[in-house]
Amino acid sequence: MTRATNSGQMRQSNRQLVLNLIRSGTLSRADIAKKTGLTRAALTIIADELLQEGLILEEESSAVGVGRRPKILSLNGHSRLALGINITRRFCEIGLVTLTGEVLSSQRFDNRELSPQEAMERLMCEALSLLQGGDRDKLLGVGVTTPGPVDTRTLTILTPPNFEAWHGVCLAPLAEQLGLPLYLENISSAYALCAKYFGKCVDEDNYIALLVDEG
């Protein structure tokens, strides 16, 4: 059983726990209480707060059976958005993504003839183009993946093989230009996280993600 506490100091932790469970599948409040150990009162406070913020939806279950149908909580994917950027040895791609991993729109361009500075300028232009629809208020931040190793703290690409032009390039200026939090991750680690949240490993506690690539 996943454990949680009702103490005030752990409210944010409990909120994240509830969101992660809802993200993994549609559940009733009773299901969530059973999985987390939260009291009904504590769960009601968290669920009502998430509903007010538009992060989750609540509707009656479509299941057929005897008795009252339970109300089901589900993640409202379009309530918040993120920009995803993937910088590879051959191309850059950028997309606008929902909380459930749905790609709303994306652009891709060849970066082999571009310097890192030119590529980042192009990414900035593409980002502004993707945000013309007025979705900026929903943005949580920007996630960037590149070949590793990377320094996630300083947002710096370190020394990936066959990627010399990008060695030591810091992506902090991109975050400053966009005015959004930016998170940098090694593409292999990001691939593993994607498999857990949106892929075939959603229900797995232990798994290995193998990515075969250049370098």
Side-chain angles (χ1 to χ4, degrees):
M1 175 187 291
T2 304
R3 300 302 300 176
T5 175
N6 294 330
S7 70
Q9 292 180 344
M10 293 297 292
R11 182 176 177 182
Q12 186 61 32
S13 177
N14 288 341
R15 173 188 163 101
Q16 188 63 52
L17 179 59
V18 170
L19 267 176
N20 282 337
L21 284 171
I22 295 172
R23 176 167 52 186
S24 66
T26 52
L27 298 168
S28 69
R29 296 193 185 208
D31 293 331
I32 296 172
K34 183 177 180 180
K35 287 177 178 290
T36 61
L38 287 166
T39 65
R40 184 178 183 86
L43 180 57
T44 296
I45 291 173
I46 294 173
D48 288 348
E49 184 179 86
L50 294 174
L51 284 166
Q52 285 184 349
E53 294 176 19
L55 285 168
I56 63 174
L57 302 171
E58 186 172 38
E59 53 194 1
E60 284 192 354
S61 169
S62 59
V64 177
V66 179
R68 183 179 178 182
R69 289 185 295 180
K71 289 189 175 182
I72 299 299
L73 298 174
S74 60
L75 193 64
N76 182 7
H78 288 258
S79 65
R80 302 291 188 279
L81 304 173
L83 276 174
I85 295 174
N86 183 28
I87 301 173
T88 78
R89 295 174 176 87
R90 294 176 289 111
F91 60 84
C92 292
E93 54 189 345
I94 181 170
L96 194 60
V97 187
T98 69
L99 289 180
T100 52
E102 178 188 357
V103 180
L104 299 178
S105 55
S106 63
Q107 295 292 337
R108 176 170 167 168
F109 59 90
D110 192 312
N111 67 357
R112 285 172 290 188
E113 302 299 323
L114 300 178
S115 68
Q117 180 61 36
E118 290 170 332
M120 285 199 290
E121 289 175 359
R122 175 73 181 272
L123 284 168
M124 185 65 191
C125 291
E126 297 293 353
L128 295 175
S129 176
L130 290 174
L131 296 174
Q132 282 183 348
D135 292 319
R136 190 177 181 87
D137 290 342
K138 294 183 179 181
L139 277 179
L140 294 173
V142 186
V144 182
T145 59
T146 75
V150 300
D151 187 328
T152 58
R153 183 180 59 83
T154 63
L155 306 179
T156 302
I157 301 170
L158 299 178
T159 56
N162 302 332
F163 206 47
E164 286 76 12
W166 288 81
H167 285 187
V169 173
C170 178
L171 302 181
L174 190 60
E176 293 170 2
Q177 287 179 306
L178 289 170
L180 293 166
L182 187 146
Y183 305 91
L184 174 64
E185 188 56 84
N186 180 325
I187 182 62
S188 300
S189 298
Y191 179 80
L193 289 171
C194 181
K196 175 61 179 174
Y197 289 121
F198 309 111
K200 296 183 178 180
C201 298
V202 169
D203 298 320
E204 302 295 334
D205 292 326
N206 299 288
Y207 64 95
I208 294 174
L210 178 62
L211 180 64
V212 180
D213 198 2
E214 302 173 48

